Amino acid sequence: GAVVSQHPSWVICKSGTSVKIECRSLDFQATTMFWYRQFPKQSLMLMATSNEGSKATYEQGVEKDKFLINHASLTLSTLTVTSAHPEDSSFYICSAQGDVTGFKGSPLHFGNGTRLTVT
Amino acid sequence: GENVEQHPSTLSVQEGDSAVIKCTYSDSASNYFPWYKQELGKRPQLIIDIRSNVGEKKDQRIAVTLNKTAKHFSLHITETQPEDSAVYFCAASIAGTSYGKLTFGQGTILTVHP
């Protein structure tokens, strides 16, 4: 089945530093990737939609200058948390959308997530 | 935008019993409704999904029903087993280029007691 690789799986950083998270589709092309954030014991909240070669679309309330998203190729999207603060500590998960034609199972494939802890 | 409400927030059942989780959505344009199982610290795993052109879908012990008129859909797990214990999320989106633009419910913590 389709595999989405997300790295790192966990990261600890100091307040004020930046952290980059990578999301790769290993065996399919993902024209669209989605980034979610999940705080402890809460649901997943969509942060932004990333299309290859264009600017990301951010959900209301998500700071685009703080959460930089780059989707430079059909298999890679990155999320950079800039000037991280303790309140940014969360579980970040990407989802890659594959071929949406037909009904060959789910077109969505989640990465394993990245646990970010900002001290 | 879309709003998805999920109930109950916690559900405790005995092994072998059935479990039902219900969700309602607000946007009539939504037509893709997946259910995910998430274990602590792991990614959501799709367990079943349904599109609005069908009213029910079943896969072994798991079934999902959809009522488009009432804008609600439900997950049914029969013959529950301890390994079914996890957090379950319903979600809604619009099929096509925005499959992955999911609005999730609040989640249900399912505990199956042996």
Side-chain angles (χ1 to χ4, degrees), chain A residues 3-4 32 34 36 38 41-46 49 57 59 91 93 95 97 100 102-108 110-113 115, chain B residues 6 32 34 36 38 40-46 49 51 53 87 89-90 93 95-107 109:
Chain A
V3 176
V4 173
T32 307
F34 304 87
Y36 291 85
Q38 185 177 31
K41 298 185 179 180
Q42 294 190 25
S43 187
L44 290 85
M45 298 294 290
L46 180 67
T49 301
T57 302
E59 295 299 302
F91 191 51
I93 311 175
S95 167
Q97 181 168 290
V100 297
F103 292 95
K104 301 175 184 177
S106 172
L108 298 174
F110 281 88
N112 280 324
R115 173 75 56 194
Chain B
Q6 182 173 346
Y32 176 65
Y36 289 92
Q38 188 181 32
L40 189 64
K42 297 188 177 181
R43 65 179 160 193
Q45 290 182 298
L46 178 72
D49 59 8
R51 291 166 174 84
N53 58 342
V87 182
F89 291 99
C90 63
S93 68
T97 57
S98 296
Y99 268 110
K101 197 172 180 181
L102 294 165
T103 300
F104 283 85
Q106 295 87 345
I109 301 171

CSV table of all heavy atoms in Angstrom, one decimal, chain A residues 3-4 32 34 36 38 41-46 49 57 59 91 93 95 97 100 102-108 110-113 115, chain B residues 6 32 34 36 38 40-46 49 51 53 87 89-90 93 95-107 109:
chain,number,residue,atom,x,y,z
A,3,VAL,N,2.7,4.5,1.0
A,3,VAL,CA,3.4,4.9,2.2
A,3,VAL,C,3.8,6.3,2.3
A,3,VAL,O,4.3,6.9,1.2
A,3,VAL,CB,4.7,4.0,2.4
A,3,VAL,CG1,5.5,4.4,3.6
A,3,VAL,CG2,4.4,2.5,2.4
A,4,VAL,N,3.6,6.9,3.4
A,4,VAL,CA,4.0,8.3,3.6
A,4,VAL,C,5.0,8.3,4.8
A,4,VAL,O,4.7,7.9,5.9
A,4,VAL,CB,2.8,9.2,3.9
A,4,VAL,CG1,3.2,10.6,4.3
A,4,VAL,CG2,1.8,9.3,2.7
A,32,THR,N,-1.3,17.0,-3.7
A,32,THR,CA,-1.8,17.8,-2.5
A,32,THR,C,-1.4,17.1,-1.2
A,32,THR,O,-1.6,15.9,-1.1
A,32,THR,CB,-3.3,17.9,-2.6
A,32,THR,OG1,-3.7,18.4,-3.9
A,32,THR,CG2,-3.8,18.9,-1.5
A,34,PHE,N,-1.6,17.7,3.2
A,34,PHE,CA,-2.4,18.4,4.2
A,34,PHE,C,-1.6,18.3,5.5
A,34,PHE,O,-1.0,17.2,5.8
A,34,PHE,CB,-3.8,17.8,4.4
A,34,PHE,CG,-4.6,17.8,3.1
A,34,PHE,CD1,-4.5,16.7,2.2
A,34,PHE,CD2,-5.4,18.8,2.8
A,34,PHE,CE1,-5.2,16.7,1.1
A,34,PHE,CE2,-6.2,18.8,1.6
A,34,PHE,CZ,-6.1,17.7,0.8
A,36,TYR,N,-1.8,18.7,9.6
A,36,TYR,CA,-2.7,18.7,10.8
A,36,TYR,C,-1.9,18.9,12.1
A,36,TYR,O,-0.7,18.5,12.1
A,36,TYR,CB,-3.5,17.4,10.9
A,36,TYR,CG,-4.5,17.2,9.8
A,36,TYR,CD1,-4.2,16.7,8.6
A,36,TYR,CD2,-5.9,17.6,10.0
A,36,TYR,CE1,-5.1,16.5,7.6
A,36,TYR,CE2,-6.8,17.4,9.0
A,36,TYR,CZ,-6.4,16.9,7.8
A,36,TYR,OH,-7.3,16.7,6.8
A,38,GLN,N,-2.4,18.2,16.4
A,38,GLN,CA,-3.2,17.5,17.4
A,38,GLN,C,-2.6,17.8,18.7
A,38,GLN,O,-1.5,17.3,19.0
A,38,GLN,CB,-3.3,16.0,17.1
A,38,GLN,CG,-4.3,15.3,18.0
A,38,GLN,CD,-4.4,13.8,17.6
A,38,GLN,OE1,-3.5,13.2,17.1
A,38,GLN,NE2,-5.6,13.2,17.9
A,41,LYS,N,-5.0,14.8,23.8
A,41,LYS,CA,-6.4,14.4,24.1
A,41,LYS,C,-7.4,15.2,23.3
A,41,LYS,O,-8.5,15.4,23.7
A,41,LYS,CB,-6.7,14.5,25.6
A,41,LYS,CG,-5.8,13.6,26.4
A,41,LYS,CD,-6.2,13.6,27.9
A,41,LYS,CE,-5.4,12.6,28.7
A,41,LYS,NZ,-5.7,12.6,30.1
A,42,GLN,N,-6.9,15.8,22.2
A,42,GLN,CA,-7.8,16.5,21.3
A,42,GLN,C,-7.9,15.9,19.9
A,42,GLN,O,-7.2,15.0,19.6
A,42,GLN,CB,-7.4,18.0,21.3
A,42,GLN,CG,-7.5,18.7,22.6
A,42,GLN,CD,-7.3,20.2,22.5
A,42,GLN,OE1,-7.5,20.8,21.4
A,42,GLN,NE2,-6.9,20.8,23.6
A,43,SER,N,-8.7,16.5,19.1
A,43,SER,CA,-8.9,16.1,17.8
A,43,SER,C,-7.8,16.6,16.8
A,43,SER,O,-7.0,17.5,17.2
A,43,SER,CB,-10.3,16.4,17.3
A,43,SER,OG,-10.5,15.8,16.0
A,44,LEU,N,-7.8,16.2,15.6
A,44,LEU,CA,-6.9,16.7,14.6
A,44,LEU,C,-7.5,17.9,14.0
A,44,LEU,O,-8.7,18.0,13.7
A,44,LEU,CB,-6.6,15.7,13.5
A,44,LEU,CG,-5.8,14.4,13.8
A,44,LEU,CD1,-6.7,13.4,14.5
A,44,LEU,CD2,-5.1,13.9,12.6
A,45,MET,N,-6.7,19.0,13.9
A,45,MET,CA,-7.1,20.2,13.3
A,45,MET,C,-6.3,20.5,12.0
A,45,MET,O,-5.1,20.5,12.1
A,45,MET,CB,-7.0,21.4,14.3
A,45,MET,CG,-7.8,21.2,15.5
A,45,MET,SD,-9.6,21.2,15.2
A,45,MET,CE,-9.8,22.9,14.8
A,46,LEU,N,-7.0,20.7,10.9
A,46,LEU,CA,-6.3,21.1,9.7
A,46,LEU,C,-5.6,22.4,9.8
A,46,LEU,O,-6.2,23.4,10.2
A,46,LEU,CB,-7.3,21.1,8.5
A,46,LEU,CG,-6.7,21.4,7.1
A,46,LEU,CD1,-5.7,20.3,6.7
A,46,LEU,CD2,-7.8,21.6,6.1
A,49,THR,N,-3.3,23.4,3.6
A,49,THR,CA,-3.4,22.6,2.4
A,49,THR,C,-2.2,23.0,1.5
A,49,THR,O,-2.1,24.2,1.2
A,49,THR,CB,-4.7,22.7,1.6
A,49,THR,OG1,-5.7,22.3,2.5
A,49,THR,CG2,-4.7,21.8,0.4
A,57,THR,N,-2.4,27.0,1.3
A,57,THR,CA,-3.6,27.6,1.8
A,57,THR,C,-3.8,27.3,3.2
A,57,THR,O,-3.9,26.2,3.6
A,57,THR,CB,-4.8,27.1,1.0
A,57,THR,OG1,-4.6,27.4,-0.4
A,57,THR,CG2,-6.1,27.9,1.5
A,59,GLU,N,-5.6,27.5,7.1
A,59,GLU,CA,-6.9,27.6,7.7
A,59,GLU,C,-6.9,28.9,8.6
A,59,GLU,O,-5.9,29.4,9.0
A,59,GLU,CB,-7.2,26.4,8.5
A,59,GLU,CG,-7.3,25.1,7.7
A,59,GLU,CD,-8.4,25.2,6.7
A,59,GLU,OE1,-9.6,25.4,7.1
A,59,GLU,OE2,-8.1,25.0,5.5
A,91,PHE,N,1.5,17.4,18.3
A,91,PHE,CA,1.7,16.3,17.4
A,91,PHE,C,1.3,16.8,16.0
A,91,PHE,O,0.2,17.2,15.8
A,91,PHE,CB,0.8,15.1,17.9
A,91,PHE,CG,1.1,13.8,17.2
A,91,PHE,CD1,2.4,13.3,17.1
A,91,PHE,CD2,0.1,13.1,16.6
A,91,PHE,CE1,2.7,12.1,16.5
A,91,PHE,CE2,0.4,11.8,16.0
A,91,PHE,CZ,1.7,11.4,16.0
A,93,ILE,N,0.9,16.1,12.0
A,93,ILE,CA,0.7,14.9,11.1
A,93,ILE,C,0.4,15.4,9.7
A,93,ILE,O,-0.4,16.4,9.5
A,93,ILE,CB,-0.5,14.1,11.5
A,93,ILE,CG1,-0.4,13.7,13.0
A,93,ILE,CG2,-0.5,12.8,10.7
A,93,ILE,CD1,-1.6,13.0,13.5
A,95,SER,N,-0.7,14.5,5.7
A,95,SER,CA,-1.5,13.5,4.9
A,95,SER,C,-1.3,13.8,3.5
A,95,SER,O,-1.4,15.0,3.0
A,95,SER,CB,-3.0,13.7,5.3
A,95,SER,OG,-3.8,13.0,4.4
A,97,GLN,N,-2.4,13.2,-0.5
A,97,GLN,CA,-3.5,12.7,-1.3
A,97,GLN,C,-3.0,12.2,-2.7
A,97,GLN,O,-2.4,12.9,-3.4
A,97,GLN,CB,-4.5,13.9,-1.5
A,97,GLN,CG,-5.7,13.6,-2.4
A,97,GLN,CD,-6.7,14.7,-2.3
A,97,GLN,OE1,-7.3,14.9,-1.2
A,97,GLN,NE2,-6.9,15.4,-3.4
A,100,VAL,N,-7.1,10.5,-7.2
A,100,VAL,CA,-8.5,10.6,-6.7
A,100,VAL,C,-9.5,10.1,-7.7
A,100,VAL,O,-10.7,10.2,-7.5
A,100,VAL,CB,-8.8,12.0,-6.3
A,100,VAL,CG1,-8.0,12.5,-5.1
A,100,VAL,CG2,-8.7,13.0,-7.4
A,102,GLY,N,-11.6,7.5,-9.7
A,102,GLY,CA,-12.1,6.1,-9.4
A,102,GLY,C,-12.3,6.0,-7.9
A,102,GLY,O,-12.1,6.9,-7.1
A,103,PHE,N,-12.6,4.8,-7.5
A,103,PHE,CA,-12.8,4.5,-6.1
A,103,PHE,C,-11.9,3.3,-5.7
A,103,PHE,O,-12.3,2.3,-5.3
A,103,PHE,CB,-14.2,4.2,-5.8
A,103,PHE,CG,-15.1,5.4,-6.0
A,103,PHE,CD1,-15.8,5.6,-7.2
A,103,PHE,CD2,-15.3,6.3,-5.0
A,103,PHE,CE1,-16.6,6.7,-7.4
A,103,PHE,CE2,-16.1,7.4,-5.2
A,103,PHE,CZ,-16.7,7.6,-6.4
A,104,LYS,N,-10.6,3.5,-5.7
A,104,LYS,CA,-9.7,2.5,-5.4
A,104,LYS,C,-9.2,2.6,-4.0
A,104,LYS,O,-8.0,2.9,-3.7
A,104,LYS,CB,-8.5,2.5,-6.4
A,104,LYS,CG,-8.9,2.4,-7.8
A,104,LYS,CD,-7.7,2.6,-8.8
A,104,LYS,CE,-8.1,2.5,-10.2
A,104,LYS,NZ,-7.0,2.8,-11.1
A,105,GLY,N,-10.1,2.5,-3.1
A,105,GLY,CA,-9.7,2.7,-1.7
A,105,GLY,C,-9.6,4.1,-1.3
A,105,GLY,O,-10.0,5.0,-2.1
A,106,SER,N,-9.0,4.4,-0.2
A,106,SER,CA,-8.8,5.8,0.2
A,106,SER,C,-7.7,6.5,-0.5
A,106,SER,O,-6.6,5.9,-0.6
A,106,SER,CB,-8.6,5.8,1.7
A,106,SER,OG,-8.2,7.2,2.1
A,107,PRO,N,-7.9,7.7,-1.0
A,107,PRO,CA,-6.8,8.4,-1.6
A,107,PRO,C,-5.9,9.1,-0.6
A,107,PRO,O,-5.0,9.8,-1.0
A,107,PRO,CB,-7.6,9.4,-2.5
A,107,PRO,CG,-8.8,9.7,-1.6
A,107,PRO,CD,-9.2,8.4,-0.9
A,108,LEU,N,-6.2,9.0,0.7
A,108,LEU,CA,-5.5,9.7,1.7
A,108,LEU,C,-4.5,8.8,2.4
A,108,LEU,O,-4.9,7.7,2.8
A,108,LEU,CB,-6.4,10.4,2.7
A,108,LEU,CG,-7.3,11.4,2.1
A,108,LEU,CD1,-8.3,11.9,3.1
A,108,LEU,CD2,-6.5,12.6,1.5
A,110,PHE,N,-1.7,9.0,5.7
A,110,PHE,CA,-1.2,9.8,6.8
A,110,PHE,C,0.3,9.3,7.0
A,110,PHE,O,0.6,8.2,7.0
A,110,PHE,CB,-2.0,9.6,8.0
A,110,PHE,CG,-3.2,10.4,8.1
A,110,PHE,CD1,-4.4,10.0,7.5
A,110,PHE,CD2,-3.2,11.7,8.6
A,110,PHE,CE1,-5.6,10.7,7.6
A,110,PHE,CE2,-4.4,12.5,8.6
A,110,PHE,CZ,-5.5,12.0,8.1
A,111,GLY,N,1.1,10.3,7.4
A,111,GLY,CA,2.4,10.1,7.9
A,111,GLY,C,2.3,9.6,9.4
A,111,GLY,O,1.2,9.6,9.9
A,112,ASN,N,3.4,9.2,10.0
A,112,ASN,CA,3.4,8.7,11.3
A,112,ASN,C,3.3,9.8,12.4
A,112,ASN,O,3.1,9.5,13.6
A,112,ASN,CB,4.6,7.8,11.6
A,112,ASN,CG,4.4,6.4,11.1
A,112,ASN,OD1,3.3,5.9,11.1
A,112,ASN,ND2,5.5,5.9,10.5
A,113,GLY,N,3.5,11.0,11.9
A,113,GLY,CA,3.4,12.1,12.9
A,113,GLY,C,4.7,12.5,13.5
A,113,GLY,O,5.7,11.7,13.5
A,115,ARG,N,6.2,14.4,17.0
A,115,ARG,CA,5.9,14.9,18.3
A,115,ARG,C,6.9,16.1,18.6
A,115,ARG,O,8.1,15.8,18.7
A,115,ARG,CB,6.1,13.8,19.4
A,115,ARG,CG,5.9,14.4,20.8
A,115,ARG,CD,4.5,14.7,21.2
A,115,ARG,NE,3.6,13.5,21.0
A,115,ARG,CZ,2.3,13.6,21.1
A,115,ARG,NH1,1.7,14.7,21.2
A,115,ARG,NH2,1.6,12.5,20.9
B,6,GLN,N,-19.4,14.8,17.4
B,6,GLN,CA,-19.2,13.3,17.6
B,6,GLN,C,-19.6,13.0,19.0
B,6,GLN,O,-19.2,13.6,20.0
B,6,GLN,CB,-17.8,12.9,17.3
B,6,GLN,CG,-17.5,11.4,17.5
B,6,GLN,CD,-16.1,11.0,17.1
B,6,GLN,OE1,-15.4,11.8,16.4
B,6,GLN,NE2,-15.7,9.8,17.4
B,32,TYR,N,-17.8,12.9,1.6
B,32,TYR,CA,-16.9,11.8,1.9
B,32,TYR,C,-16.8,11.8,3.5
B,32,TYR,O,-16.5,12.8,4.1
B,32,TYR,CB,-15.5,12.1,1.3
B,32,TYR,CG,-14.5,11.1,1.6
B,32,TYR,CD1,-14.6,9.7,1.2
B,32,TYR,CD2,-13.4,11.4,2.4
B,32,TYR,CE1,-13.7,8.8,1.6
B,32,TYR,CE2,-12.4,10.5,2.7
B,32,TYR,CZ,-12.6,9.2,2.3
B,32,TYR,OH,-11.6,8.3,2.6
B,34,PRO,N,-15.0,9.5,6.3
B,34,PRO,CA,-14.1,8.4,6.8
B,34,PRO,C,-14.2,8.2,8.3
B,34,PRO,O,-14.5,9.2,9.0
B,34,PRO,CB,-12.7,8.8,6.3
B,34,PRO,CG,-12.8,10.3,6.4
B,34,PRO,CD,-14.2,10.7,6.1
B,36,TYR,N,-11.7,6.9,11.5
B,36,TYR,CA,-10.3,6.6,11.8
B,36,TYR,C,-10.2,6.0,13.2
B,36,TYR,O,-10.9,6.5,14.1
B,36,TYR,CB,-9.4,7.8,11.7
B,36,TYR,CG,-9.2,8.3,10.2
B,36,TYR,CD1,-10.0,9.3,9.7
B,36,TYR,CD2,-8.1,7.8,9.5
B,36,TYR,CE1,-9.8,9.7,8.4
B,36,TYR,CE2,-7.9,8.2,8.2
B,36,TYR,CZ,-8.8,9.2,7.6
B,36,TYR,OH,-8.6,9.6,6.3
B,38,GLN,N,-7.3,5.7,16.2
B,38,GLN,CA,-6.0,6.2,16.5
B,38,GLN,C,-5.5,5.6,17.9
B,38,GLN,O,-6.2,5.8,18.9
B,38,GLN,CB,-5.9,7.7,16.5
B,38,GLN,CG,-4.6,8.3,16.7
B,38,GLN,CD,-4.5,9.8,16.8
B,38,GLN,OE1,-5.5,10.4,17.2
B,38,GLN,NE2,-3.4,10.4,16.3
B,40,LEU,N,-2.6,5.7,20.9
B,40,LEU,CA,-1.8,6.7,21.5
B,40,LEU,C,-0.5,7.0,20.8
B,40,LEU,O,0.3,6.1,20.7
B,40,LEU,CB,-1.6,6.4,23.0
B,40,LEU,CG,-1.0,7.5,23.8
B,40,LEU,CD1,-2.0,8.7,23.9
B,40,LEU,CD2,-0.7,7.1,25.2
B,41,GLY,N,-0.3,8.2,20.4
B,41,GLY,CA,1.0,8.6,19.8
B,41,GLY,C,1.2,8.1,18.3
B,41,GLY,O,2.3,8.3,17.8
B,42,LYS,N,0.2,7.6,17.7
B,42,LYS,CA,0.3,7.0,16.4
B,42,LYS,C,-0.6,7.8,15.4
B,42,LYS,O,-1.5,8.5,15.8
B,42,LYS,CB,0.0,5.5,16.4
B,42,LYS,CG,1.0,4.7,17.2
B,42,LYS,CD,0.8,3.2,17.0
B,42,LYS,CE,1.8,2.5,17.8
B,42,LYS,NZ,1.7,1.0,17.6
B,43,ARG,N,-0.4,7.5,14.1
B,43,ARG,CA,-1.2,8.1,13.1
B,43,ARG,C,-2.6,7.6,13.1
B,43,ARG,O,-2.8,6.4,13.5
B,43,ARG,CB,-0.6,8.0,11.8
B,43,ARG,CG,-0.5,6.6,11.3
B,43,ARG,CD,0.1,6.5,9.9
B,43,ARG,NE,0.6,5.2,9.6
B,43,ARG,CZ,1.4,4.9,8.6
B,43,ARG,NH1,1.8,5.9,7.8
B,43,ARG,NH2,1.9,3.7,8.3
B,44,PRO,N,-3.5,8.3,12.6
B,44,PRO,CA,-4.9,7.8,12.4
B,44,PRO,C,-4.9,6.7,11.3
B,44,PRO,O,-4.2,6.8,10.3
B,44,PRO,CB,-5.7,9.0,11.9
B,44,PRO,CG,-4.9,10.2,12.2
B,44,PRO,CD,-3.5,9.7,12.2
B,45,GLN,N,-5.6,5.6,11.6
B,45,GLN,CA,-5.7,4.5,10.6
B,45,GLN,C,-7.1,4.5,10.1
B,45,GLN,O,-8.1,4.4,10.9
B,45,GLN,CB,-5.4,3.2,11.2
B,45,GLN,CG,-3.9,3.0,11.6
B,45,GLN,CD,-3.6,1.6,12.2
B,45,GLN,OE1,-4.2,1.3,13.2
B,45,GLN,NE2,-2.8,0.9,11.5
B,46,LEU,N,-7.3,4.5,8.8
B,46,LEU,CA,-8.6,4.4,8.2
B,46,LEU,C,-9.2,3.1,8.5
B,46,LEU,O,-8.6,2.0,8.2
B,46,LEU,CB,-8.5,4.7,6.7
B,46,LEU,CG,-9.8,4.6,6.0
B,46,LEU,CD1,-10.7,5.8,6.3
B,46,LEU,CD2,-9.6,4.5,4.5
B,49,ASP,N,-14.8,3.9,5.2
B,49,ASP,CA,-15.2,5.2,4.7
B,49,ASP,C,-16.5,5.0,3.9
B,49,ASP,O,-16.8,3.9,3.4
B,49,ASP,CB,-14.2,6.0,4.0
B,49,ASP,CG,-13.6,5.2,2.7
B,49,ASP,OD1,-14.2,4.2,2.4
B,49,ASP,OD2,-12.6,5.7,2.2
B,51,ARG,N,-19.1,7.1,1.0
B,51,ARG,CA,-19.4,8.3,0.2
B,51,ARG,C,-20.9,8.5,0.1
B,51,ARG,O,-21.6,7.6,0.3
B,51,ARG,CB,-18.8,8.2,-1.2
B,51,ARG,CG,-17.2,8.2,-1.2
B,51,ARG,CD,-16.6,7.7,-2.5
B,51,ARG,NE,-15.1,7.9,-2.5
B,51,ARG,CZ,-14.3,7.1,-1.9
B,51,ARG,NH1,-14.7,6.0,-1.3
B,51,ARG,NH2,-13.0,7.3,-2.0
B,53,ASN,N,-23.1,8.6,-2.0
B,53,ASN,CA,-23.9,8.0,-3.0
B,53,ASN,C,-24.4,6.6,-2.4
B,53,ASN,O,-25.1,5.9,-3.1
B,53,ASN,CB,-23.2,7.8,-4.3
B,53,ASN,CG,-21.9,7.1,-4.2
B,53,ASN,OD1,-21.4,6.9,-3.1
B,53,ASN,ND2,-21.5,6.6,-5.3
B,87,VAL,N,-9.0,5.4,20.3
B,87,VAL,CA,-9.8,6.6,20.0
B,87,VAL,C,-10.2,6.6,18.6
B,87,VAL,O,-9.5,6.3,17.7
B,87,VAL,CB,-9.0,7.9,20.3
B,87,VAL,CG1,-9.8,9.1,20.1
B,87,VAL,CG2,-8.4,7.9,21.7
B,89,PHE,N,-12.2,8.5,15.5
B,89,PHE,CA,-12.6,9.8,14.9
B,89,PHE,C,-13.4,9.7,13.7
B,89,PHE,O,-13.1,8.9,12.8
B,89,PHE,CB,-11.4,10.7,14.6
B,89,PHE,CG,-10.5,11.1,15.7
B,89,PHE,CD1,-9.4,10.4,16.1
B,89,PHE,CD2,-10.9,12.2,16.5
B,89,PHE,CE1,-8.6,10.8,17.2
B,89,PHE,CE2,-10.1,12.7,17.5
B,89,PHE,CZ,-9.0,12.0,17.9
B,90,CYS,N,-14.5,10.4,13.6
B,90,CYS,CA,-15.2,10.5,12.3
B,90,CYS,C,-14.7,11.8,11.7
B,90,CYS,O,-14.1,12.7,12.3
B,90,CYS,CB,-16.7,10.6,12.6
B,90,CYS,SG,-17.3,12.1,13.5
B,93,SER,N,-15.4,15.5,4.5
B,93,SER,CA,-14.8,16.4,3.5
B,93,SER,C,-15.5,16.3,2.2
B,93,SER,O,-16.6,15.6,2.1
B,93,SER,CB,-13.3,16.0,3.3
B,93,SER,OG,-13.2,14.7,2.6
B,95,ALA,N,-15.3,15.2,-1.6
B,95,ALA,CA,-14.5,14.3,-2.5
B,95,ALA,C,-14.0,15.1,-3.7
B,95,ALA,O,-14.6,16.0,-4.1
B,95,ALA,CB,-15.3,13.1,-2.9
B,96,GLY,N,-12.9,14.6,-4.2
B,96,GLY,CA,-12.3,15.3,-5.4
B,96,GLY,C,-10.9,15.8,-4.9
B,96,GLY,O,-10.2,15.1,-4.3
B,97,THR,N,-10.6,17.0,-5.3
B,97,THR,CA,-9.3,17.5,-4.9
B,97,THR,C,-9.2,17.8,-3.4
B,97,THR,O,-8.1,18.1,-3.0
B,97,THR,CB,-9.0,18.8,-5.7
B,97,THR,OG1,-10.0,19.7,-5.5
B,97,THR,CG2,-8.9,18.4,-7.2
B,98,SER,N,-10.3,17.8,-2.7
B,98,SER,CA,-10.2,18.1,-1.3
B,98,SER,C,-10.5,17.0,-0.4
B,98,SER,O,-11.0,17.2,0.7
B,98,SER,CB,-11.2,19.3,-1.0
B,98,SER,OG,-10.8,20.5,-1.7
B,99,TYR,N,-10.3,15.8,-0.8
B,99,TYR,CA,-10.5,14.6,0.1
B,99,TYR,C,-9.9,14.8,1.4
B,99,TYR,O,-10.5,14.5,2.5
B,99,TYR,CB,-9.9,13.3,-0.5
B,99,TYR,CG,-10.8,12.5,-1.4
B,99,TYR,CD1,-10.6,12.5,-2.8
B,99,TYR,CD2,-11.8,11.8,-0.9
B,99,TYR,CE1,-11.4,11.7,-3.6
B,99,TYR,CE2,-12.7,11.0,-1.7
B,99,TYR,CZ,-12.4,10.9,-3.0
B,99,TYR,OH,-13.2,10.2,-3.8
B,100,GLY,N,-8.7,15.3,1.4
B,100,GLY,CA,-7.9,15.4,2.6
B,100,GLY,C,-8.1,16.6,3.4
B,100,GLY,O,-7.5,16.8,4.5
B,101,LYS,N,-9.0,17.5,3.0
B,101,LYS,CA,-9.3,18.7,3.8
B,101,LYS,C,-10.4,18.3,4.8
B,101,LYS,O,-11.6,18.7,4.6
B,101,LYS,CB,-9.8,19.8,2.9
B,101,LYS,CG,-9.8,21.1,3.5
B,101,LYS,CD,-10.0,22.3,2.5
B,101,LYS,CE,-10.0,23.6,3.2
B,101,LYS,NZ,-10.3,24.7,2.3
B,102,LEU,N,-10.0,17.4,5.7
B,102,LEU,CA,-10.9,16.8,6.6
B,102,LEU,C,-11.3,17.7,7.8
B,102,LEU,O,-10.4,18.3,8.4
B,102,LEU,CB,-10.4,15.5,7.1
B,102,LEU,CG,-10.2,14.4,6.0
B,102,LEU,CD1,-9.3,13.3,6.6
B,102,LEU,CD2,-11.5,13.8,5.6
B,103,THR,N,-12.5,17.7,8.2
B,103,THR,CA,-13.0,18.2,9.5
B,103,THR,C,-13.3,17.0,10.3
B,103,THR,O,-14.1,16.2,10.0
B,103,THR,CB,-14.2,19.1,9.3
B,103,THR,OG1,-13.9,20.2,8.4
B,103,THR,CG2,-14.6,19.6,10.7
B,104,PHE,N,-12.6,16.9,11.5
B,104,PHE,CA,-12.7,15.8,12.3
B,104,PHE,C,-13.7,16.1,13.5
B,104,PHE,O,-13.9,17.2,13.9
B,104,PHE,CB,-11.3,15.4,13.0
B,104,PHE,CG,-10.4,14.7,12.1
B,104,PHE,CD1,-9.6,15.4,11.2
B,104,PHE,CD2,-10.3,13.3,12.1
B,104,PHE,CE1,-8.7,14.7,10.3
B,104,PHE,CE2,-9.5,12.6,11.2
B,104,PHE,CZ,-8.7,13.4,10.4
B,105,GLY,N,-14.3,15.0,13.9
B,105,GLY,CA,-15.1,15.1,15.1
B,105,GLY,C,-14.2,15.1,16.3
B,105,GLY,O,-12.9,15.0,16.2
B,106,GLN,N,-14.7,15.2,17.5
B,106,GLN,CA,-13.9,15.4,18.7
B,106,GLN,C,-13.3,14.1,19.2
B,106,GLN,O,-12.4,14.1,20.1
B,106,GLN,CB,-14.8,16.0,19.8
B,106,GLN,CG,-15.3,17.4,19.6
B,106,GLN,CD,-16.6,17.4,18.8
B,106,GLN,OE1,-17.0,16.3,18.2
B,106,GLN,NE2,-17.3,18.5,18.7
B,107,GLY,N,-13.7,13.0,18.7
B,107,GLY,CA,-13.1,11.7,19.1
B,107,GLY,C,-14.0,11.0,20.1
B,107,GLY,O,-14.6,11.6,21.0
B,109,ILE,N,-13.3,7.8,22.9
B,109,ILE,CA,-12.4,6.8,23.5
B,109,ILE,C,-13.2,5.6,23.8
B,109,ILE,O,-14.1,5.6,24.6
B,109,ILE,CB,-11.8,7.4,24.9
B,109,ILE,CG1,-11.1,8.7,24.6
B,109,ILE,CG2,-10.9,6.3,25.5
B,109,ILE,CD1,-10.6,9.4,25.9
